[in-house]
């Protein structure tokens, strides 16, 4: 009570007294703080009952006022006094001792405000960055400490300052062997009294420029000082132990050299034994039970990983526990998920941002078992993704690789390789969600390598199991469980839409590079003779094929579509290897016989409805494929190894097998299979276009293409149609039911076959639209 009255009285006197020059006023407030320790014997009274907070606030206001009154970059006498008399060092000692109780909080607040409000750069000064480094080591020592809020604010302001001037981070990389020496314990009371002893006036004004590079013997001095301090006996609290000037100088020299500041000839990246205490303190605070503290600590880490300094990036990934933090939390959150979850819940849960994980189950009307755990996992995954996205390039690669090794391989792979159908379904749904959420280039690359492996040589039938996880996932596309098949196909569909060339190359392109799916026949004079229908001799004309003799005018392209196509020429193919687009489009549209078509009975289901979607999707694929510098034309036959045995690859093999059973598979499975194949057809690579979208290629013996697979399905369909009475009315009824135009009460026999026919018809129209859009894009300047 008496101290509060004294404080009020002091403020009144200061208000009435004539104003002093700023430096005198600054010195007065500092000496008022030092006199407290000299005159007060009771050091157990809380700091809030003293005038210390008020004096610190006044000192800060004076420094700000002084800077505002001077030209930019000019150091005033008050700031010179603070640097020259090592006030921050003294405050650090007082804060470390927490004397009086609560002093650490006041010191942290003073440091934070000083660094945040003073515009001129302070950290380059050795009498600033040295005590700042020491204070950093005090942060995060105790979880749920009363100073946690001040600690995180202080650490974040330091991170912000380093972001402004990244090279300053080198001041905060310490040699491990010396960091312990600088932090050796000495009697607290002796330390305080020693710090309050003002240095002699003969000491040079310290700007931090003359002490950045220490003498070679500094490490020895530091170790000697540490030994001497450890040998000292604790002094009495009431004993004033003032160190001599030589001892003080030795202590300063040792502390300076504790910081490893690399010279230009010796980069810091070459020094493996370094501590990055700023990162370590933030990592400690990420374990706080206070969510706000955790978010701020994560923000600080994100600032630090983005610093371009290679020494800091190397130290961060090799000498701190950041990699372990990311993977351990991912593992904990992943293992906290229920063993069985509805894939639809995993897929449709709202998008999660790492800083906004404030889920309330009571207010959620769409809650499901495990939703809170799922949001926690996705939230931390988002943080890992964003952190790696912002990280310096080498640090990003190291962090992503660590996530792959310690989380993907160690935790997720056993779940994906298990035999329990429920477990497979849940883990695949989680992998699908992970693929959708990852955006950082480095983490995406490691995710792809985890799923597909790094192999780029052509596949062989005997070696499809060379990477077990890839083999297992592709096999799951043809699983006995339709749910697992659909989920795995959906996962691959999302994977194909990621901007990484390795995905499409590993799954498809590496097997098409040599074009050995074709049978090359050198042209002879007879083949150059033009026949009446405008095709070369021996070419297949689908309009004359027995399967396609009954063509109605509505099945063919209108004049508007044909006007956009190139005029007919005597050659079956153009010089660049592209079959004339109108022939390709007609080939796909005429593939399904008239008696198996039902779209022209329902309004708004024509071929043109696919053009807009095809154009949009193709533009999206081209946007990220452009940088891969794919060729515009197929590889010439002279450069291809046509004699090599062709294998379409495990992925296309399973898709073609599934496509061949389209008339006997559930509707949802067929939709997913055709969706994946249409995505593959979108890629603007000439070999993919030729193999998947050109019906006129001469296939090598024993090879199949997408078109040949569909032809076999249509042949099977025409035989089966004859055995189903009232086929066309039933087909139309099923289509209306799928469109929601007809009630589902009526039972229709052969519904699986009829639904397959409808999917087949729509898929052929979609392929025709894709072929048209791709050709139009290739001919547009």
């Amino acid at each position: 009570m008496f101290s509060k009255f004294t404080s009020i009285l002091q403020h009144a006197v200061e208000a009435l007294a004539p104003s002093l020059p700023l430096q005198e006023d600054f010195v007065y407030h500092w000496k008022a703080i030092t006199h407290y320790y000299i005159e007060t014997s009771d050091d157990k009274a809380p700091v809030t009952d003293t005038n210390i907070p008020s004096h610190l606030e006044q000192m800060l206001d004076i420094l700000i006022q002084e800077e505002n009154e001077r030209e930019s970059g000019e150091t005033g006498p008050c700031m010179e006094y603070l640097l020259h008399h090592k006030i921050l060092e003294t405050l650090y000692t007082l804060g470390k001792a927490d004397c009086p109780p609560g002093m650490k909080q006041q010191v942290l607040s003073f440091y934070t405000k000083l660094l945040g409000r003073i515009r001129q750069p302070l950290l380059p000064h050795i009498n600033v960055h040295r005590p700042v480094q020491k204070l950093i080591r005090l942060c995060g020592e105790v979880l749920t400490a009363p100073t946690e809020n001040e600690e995180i604010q202080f650490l974040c302001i330091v991170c912000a300052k380093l972001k402004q001037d990244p090279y300053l981070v080198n001041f905060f990389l310490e040699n491990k062997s010396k960091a312990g020496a600088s932090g050796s314990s000495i009697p607290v009371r002796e330390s305080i009294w020693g710090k309050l002893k003002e240095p002699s006036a003969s000491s040079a004004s310290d700007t931090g420029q003359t002490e950045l590079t220490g003498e070679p013997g500094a490490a020895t001095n530091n170790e000697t000082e540490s030994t001497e301090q450890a040998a000292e006996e604790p002094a009495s609290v009431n004993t004033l132990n003032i160190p001599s000037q030589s001892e003080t100088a030795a202590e300063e020299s040792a502390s300076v050299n504790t910081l490893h500041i690399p010279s230009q000839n010796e980069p810091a990246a070459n020094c493996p034994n370094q501590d990055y205490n700023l990162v370590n303190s933030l990592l400690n605070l990420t374990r706080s039970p206070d969510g706000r503290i955790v978010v701020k600590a994560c923000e600080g880490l994100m600032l630090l990983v983005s610093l371009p300094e290679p020494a800091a990036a190397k130290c961060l990934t090799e000498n701190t526990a950041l990699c372990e933090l990311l993977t351990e939390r991912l593992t904990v959150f992943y293992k906290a998920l229920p063993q069985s979850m509805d894939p639809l819940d995993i897929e449709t849960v709202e998008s999660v941002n790492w800083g906004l994980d404030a889920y309330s189950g009571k207010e959620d009307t769409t809650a499901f078992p495990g939703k809170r755990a799922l949001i926690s996992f996705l939230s931390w995954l988002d943080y890992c993704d964003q952190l790696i996205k912002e990280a310096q390039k080498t640090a990003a690669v190291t962090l992503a690789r660590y996530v792959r090794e310690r989380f993907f391989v160690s935790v997720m792979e056993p779940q994906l390789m298990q035999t329990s159908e429920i477990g497979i379904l849940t883990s695949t749904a989680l992998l699908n969600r992970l693929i959708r959420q990852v955006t950082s280039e480095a983490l995406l690359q490691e995710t792809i390598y985890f799923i597909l492996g790094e192999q780029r040589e052509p596949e062989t039938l005997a070696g499809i199991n060379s990477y077990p996880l890839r083999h297992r996932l592709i096999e799951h596309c043809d699983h006995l469980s339709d749910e697992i098949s659909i989920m795995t196909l959906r996962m691959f569909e999302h994977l194909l839409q990621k901007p990484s060339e390795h995905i499409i190359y590993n799954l498809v392109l590496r097997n098409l590079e040599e074009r050995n799916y074709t049978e090359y026949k050198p042209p002879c004079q007879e083949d150059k003779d033009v026949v009446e229908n405008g095709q070369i001799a021996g070419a297949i004309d689908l309009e004359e094929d027995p399967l396609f003799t009954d063509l109605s005018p509505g099945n063919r392209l209108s004049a508007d579509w044909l006007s956009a196509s190139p005029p007919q020429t005597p050659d079956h193919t153009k010089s660049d290897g592209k079959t004339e687009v109108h022939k390709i489009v007609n080939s796909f549209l005429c593939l399904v016989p008239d008696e198996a078509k039902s779209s022209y009975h329902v309004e708004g289901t024509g071929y043109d409805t696919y053009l807009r979607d095809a154009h949009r999707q193709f533009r999206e694929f081209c946007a990220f494929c452009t940088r891969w510098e794919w060729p515009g034309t197929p590889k010439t036959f002279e450069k291809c190894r046509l004699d090599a045995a062709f294998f379409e690859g495990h992925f296309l093999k399973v898709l073609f097998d599934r496509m061949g059973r389209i008339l006997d598979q559930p509707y949802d499975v067929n939709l997913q299979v055709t969706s994946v194949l249409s995505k593959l057809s979108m890629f603007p690579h000439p070999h993919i276009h030729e193999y998947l979208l050109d019906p006129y290629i001469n296939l090598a013996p024993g090879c199949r293409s997408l078109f040949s697979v569909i032809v076999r399905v249509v042949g099977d369909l025409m035989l089966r149609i004859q055995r189903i009475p009232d086929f066309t009315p039933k087909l139309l009824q099923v289509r209306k039911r799928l469109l929601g135009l007809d009630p589902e009460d009526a039972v229709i026999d052969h519904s699986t076959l009829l639904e397959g026919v409808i999917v087949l018809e729509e898929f052929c129209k979609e392929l025709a639209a894709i072929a048209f859009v791709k050709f139009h894009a290739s001919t547009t300047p």
Side-chain angles (χ1 to χ4, degrees):
M1 185 68 184
F2 179 74
S3 61
K4 290 183 179 179
F5 176 75
T6 305
S7 177
I8 294 171
L9 184 62
Q10 179 188 342
H11 280 294
V13 171
E14 290 172 357
L16 296 173
S19 59
L20 297 171
L22 286 180
Q23 185 178 3
E24 291 184 24
D25 201 12
F26 185 82
V27 173
Y28 162 75
H29 287 293
W30 174 238
K31 288 189 174 181
I33 294 174
T34 60
H35 287 161
Y36 167 84
Y37 290 94
I38 297 173
E39 297 172 357
T40 305
S41 59
D42 180 18
D43 57 1
K44 294 184 179 179
V47 71
T48 51
D49 289 350
T50 71
N51 294 325
I52 293 176
S54 174
H55 288 304
L56 288 174
E57 193 68 33
Q58 291 293 326
M59 289 170 64
L60 188 65
D61 291 342
I62 291 170
L63 291 171
I64 295 171
Q65 182 182 345
E66 179 185 68
E67 185 180 50
N68 292 335
E69 293 175 357
R70 293 182 172 269
E71 295 182 5
S72 176
E74 184 181 351
T75 303
C78 297
M79 183 60 73
E80 289 282 1
Y81 185 90
L82 179 136
L83 298 173
H84 173 54
H85 289 78
K86 300 180 176 62
I87 288 177
L88 294 180
E89 285 276 6
T90 305
L91 287 175
Y92 156 73
T93 307
L94 299 175
K96 181 180 180 181
D98 201 26
C99 178
M103 188 62 186
K104 182 180 177 182
Q105 217 163 1
Q106 297 297 324
V107 171
L108 285 165
S109 180
F110 181 81
Y111 271 64
T112 303
K113 293 174 182 177
L114 180 70
L115 293 174
R117 296 182 185 178
I118 298 297
R119 295 189 299 275
Q120 62 176 299
L122 295 178
L123 285 177
H125 295 277
I126 195 169
N127 283 339
V128 176
H129 71 245
R130 181 175 61 188
V132 165
Q133 174 70 298
K134 292 178 180 179
L135 192 59
I136 285 170
R137 289 199 293 268
L138 296 183
C139 297
E141 286 185 325
V142 181
L143 291 183
T144 66
T147 57
E148 252 190 358
N149 194 48
E150 287 75 17
E151 288 175 13
I152 194 61
Q153 289 180 5
F154 164 65
L155 294 175
C156 284
I157 197 67
V158 174
C159 293
K161 289 297 177 182
L162 296 183
K163 183 69 175 176
Q164 292 176 7
D165 192 354
Y167 182 73
L168 292 177
V169 74
N170 290 284
F171 291 116
F172 296 89
L173 305 180
E174 292 186 290
N175 283 347
K176 285 185 177 180
S177 59
K178 299 176 184 177
S182 67
S184 57
S185 60
I186 60 176
V188 171
R189 200 67 176 183
E190 287 186 42
S191 176
I192 295 174
W193 295 131
K195 292 293 181 183
L196 294 181
K197 172 68 176 178
E198 295 183 9
S200 62
S202 62
S203 300
S205 176
D206 180 26
T207 63
Q209 302 303 316
T210 60
E211 298 185 56
L212 290 182
T213 55
E215 296 297 327
T220 306
N221 294 338
N222 190 33
E223 292 168 4
T224 304
E225 179 208 357
S226 176
T227 306
E228 291 174 355
Q229 287 176 345
E232 291 180 2
E233 294 295 329
S236 169
V237 171
N238 296 318
T239 303
L240 293 181
N241 181 18
I242 309 300
S244 65
Q245 290 186 7
S246 60
E247 289 174 341
T248 305
E251 178 188 353
E252 291 170 11
S253 176
S255 297
V256 170
N257 289 282
T258 297
L259 293 172
H260 180 75
I261 309 302
S263 64
Q264 293 180 353
N265 298 326
E266 180 194 2
N270 294 332
C271 303
N273 297 318
Q274 290 181 324
D275 267 334
Y276 201 164
N277 287 310
L278 184 54
V279 173
N280 294 333
S281 295
L282 287 169
L283 289 173
N284 288 338
L285 289 172
T286 60
R287 296 177 172 86
S288 170
D290 188 339
R292 294 169 299 176
I293 300 293
V294 174
V295 169
K296 295 293 288 184
C298 289
E299 289 173 352
L301 289 171
M302 194 169 289
L303 285 175
L304 293 181
V305 299
S306 67
L307 299 180
E309 287 295 313
K314 183 179 177 66
C315 188
L316 183 139
T317 54
E318 295 183 3
N319 298 334
T320 74
L322 179 61
C323 293
E324 288 84 351
L325 170 78
L326 298 184
T327 54
E328 283 175 7
R329 294 235 175 140
L330 279 173
T331 301
V332 169
F333 288 135
Y334 187 86
K335 290 184 175 179
L337 296 170
Q339 291 294 314
S340 173
M341 296 181 71
D342 188 338
L344 188 61
D345 290 336
I346 296 173
E347 192 165 357
T348 59
V349 70
E350 59 271 14
S351 58
V352 178
N353 295 318
W354 68 268
L356 303 174
D357 183 12
Y359 173 70
S360 175
K362 295 180 180 179
E363 301 174 1
D364 189 3
T365 56
T366 61
F368 55 84
K371 184 170 185 178
R372 176 181 290 278
L374 178 61
I375 289 178
S376 295
F377 170 71
L378 295 177
S379 176
W380 190 250
L381 174 66
D382 181 61
Y383 176 70
C384 296
D385 183 45
Q386 295 302 319
L387 183 83
I388 294 172
K389 194 175 189 176
E390 295 293 329
Q392 189 257 9
K393 191 170 183 180
T394 57
V397 171
T398 304
L399 289 167
R401 192 167 294 143
Y402 202 90
V403 171
R404 174 188 169 188
E405 294 170 356
R406 297 299 179 89
F407 175 66
F408 291 159
V409 175
S410 301
V411 180
M412 291 193 73
E413 185 170 349
Q415 296 296 312
L416 293 164
M417 297 287 283
Q418 65 180 303
T419 55
S420 165
E421 290 190 0
I422 295 176
I424 293 172
L425 190 59
T426 301
S427 58
T428 307
L430 288 168
L431 179 62
N432 180 41
R433 181 61 193 249
L434 184 147
I435 292 168
R436 287 171 49 201
Q437 191 160 319
V438 169
T439 58
S440 64
E441 185 176 349
L443 187 57
L444 176 61
Q445 192 72 11
E446 293 301 327
T447 305
I448 293 164
Y449 287 157
F450 163 66
I451 296 172
L452 302 177
E454 301 182 36
Q455 295 82 0
R456 292 179 69 86
E457 64 278 0
E459 292 179 79
T460 61
L461 189 58
I464 58 175
N465 198 19
S466 59
Y467 190 75
L469 180 60
R470 177 186 188 272
H471 177 265
R472 182 68 63 87
L473 288 173
I474 293 176
E475 285 293 308
H476 285 171
C477 294
D478 198 5
H479 199 274
L480 289 174
S481 166
D482 292 334
E483 281 187 291
I484 291 176
S485 296
I486 291 170
M487 181 49 62
T488 311
L489 286 165
R490 189 171 294 145
M491 183 272 293
F492 276 109
E493 182 182 3
H494 287 135
L495 192 64
L496 288 168
Q497 296 174 74
K498 287 293 180 177
S500 173
E501 185 265 353
H502 184 72
I503 299 170
I504 187 64
Y505 193 89
N506 179 280
L507 289 173
V508 176
L509 265 180
R510 58 171 166 163
N511 305 307
L512 307 181
E513 280 293 325
E514 300 300 329
R515 297 180 71 191
N516 46 349
Y517 47 84
T518 61
E519 185 177 31
Y520 177 56
K521 295 179 180 178
C524 59
Q525 185 60 38
E526 294 180 1
D527 292 335
K528 295 180 180 179
D529 295 335
V530 179
V531 294
E532 293 181 359
N533 63 357
Q535 294 182 347
I536 62 172
I540 301 174
D541 187 351
L542 292 179
E543 296 184 8
E544 296 181 0
D545 191 289
L547 291 175
F548 309 103
T549 53
D550 186 16
L551 296 175
S552 63
N555 292 332
R556 308 184 186 204
L557 286 174
S558 65
D560 292 337
W561 299 122
L562 288 174
S563 64
S565 304
Q568 289 193 9
T569 62
D571 297 324
H572 171 63
T573 57
K574 293 175 24 175
S575 59
D576 62 359
K578 293 177 181 175
T579 307
E580 292 177 349
V581 67
H582 69 279
K583 295 179 181 177
I584 294 177
V585 172
N586 268 326
S587 297
F588 282 111
L589 292 181
C590 301
L591 201 47
V592 178
D594 260 9
E595 56 266 35
K597 290 183 177 179
S598 56
S599 59
Y600 54 86
H601 292 292
V602 180
E603 187 178 352
T605 56
Y607 149 78
D608 55 315
T609 59
Y610 287 96
L611 284 172
R612 184 179 288 104
D613 284 342
H615 178 71
R616 176 184 55 79
Q617 291 183 41
F618 183 65
R619 189 170 53 207
E620 291 172 356
F621 273 83
C622 288
F624 61 75
C625 291
T626 304
R627 56 194 175 116
W628 301 339
E629 298 180 351
W630 279 345
T633 57
K635 188 176 179 181
T636 59
F637 284 119
E638 291 75 13
K639 297 180 180 180
C640 295
R641 292 174 52 243
L642 297 176
D643 56 336
F646 176 69
F647 174 51
E648 64 256 36
H650 193 197
F651 188 58
L652 280 182
K653 177 183 180 300
V654 169
L655 290 177
F656 285 174
D657 290 346
R658 275 290 200 184
M659 191 67 206
R661 302 197 302 269
I662 192 171
L663 301 179
D664 303 298
Q665 293 174 155
Y667 178 72
D668 292 335
V669 172
N670 288 336
L671 286 180
Q672 199 58 58
V673 171
T674 54
S675 180
V676 174
L677 284 168
S678 68
K679 293 292 187 300
L680 287 174
S681 304
M682 284 286 181
F683 281 94
H685 192 285
H687 294 177
I688 292 178
H689 182 87
E690 179 181 54
Y691 186 61
L692 296 182
L693 291 177
D694 191 348
Y696 293 95
I697 57 172
N698 294 315
L699 289 174
C703 297
R704 58 179 179 172
S705 67
L706 177 59
F707 188 81
S708 71
V709 171
I710 297 176
V711 167
R712 291 188 181 94
V713 172
V714 170
D716 181 37
L717 171 62
M718 294 184 71
L719 295 175
R720 295 170 70 171
I721 284 177
Q722 300 172 9
R723 299 195 295 265
I724 301 176
D726 301 323
F727 177 83
T728 303
K730 289 179 180 178
L731 184 65
L732 184 59
Q733 187 178 359
V734 169
R735 175 178 282 275
K736 288 182 178 180
R737 189 172 70 181
L738 292 174
L739 292 173
L741 303 176
D742 201 50
E744 299 184 9
D745 299 338
V747 176
I748 305 174
D749 54 351
H750 305 286
S751 60
T752 299
L753 170 66
L754 297 172
E755 289 171 349
V757 172
I758 292 169
V759 173
L760 181 63
E761 180 188 357
E762 297 301 315
F763 183 50
C764 289
K765 290 192 293 185
E766 186 176 13
L767 292 176
I770 293 171
F772 179 82
V773 167
K774 290 178 76 173
F775 180 85
H776 183 71
S778 67
T779 56
T780 303

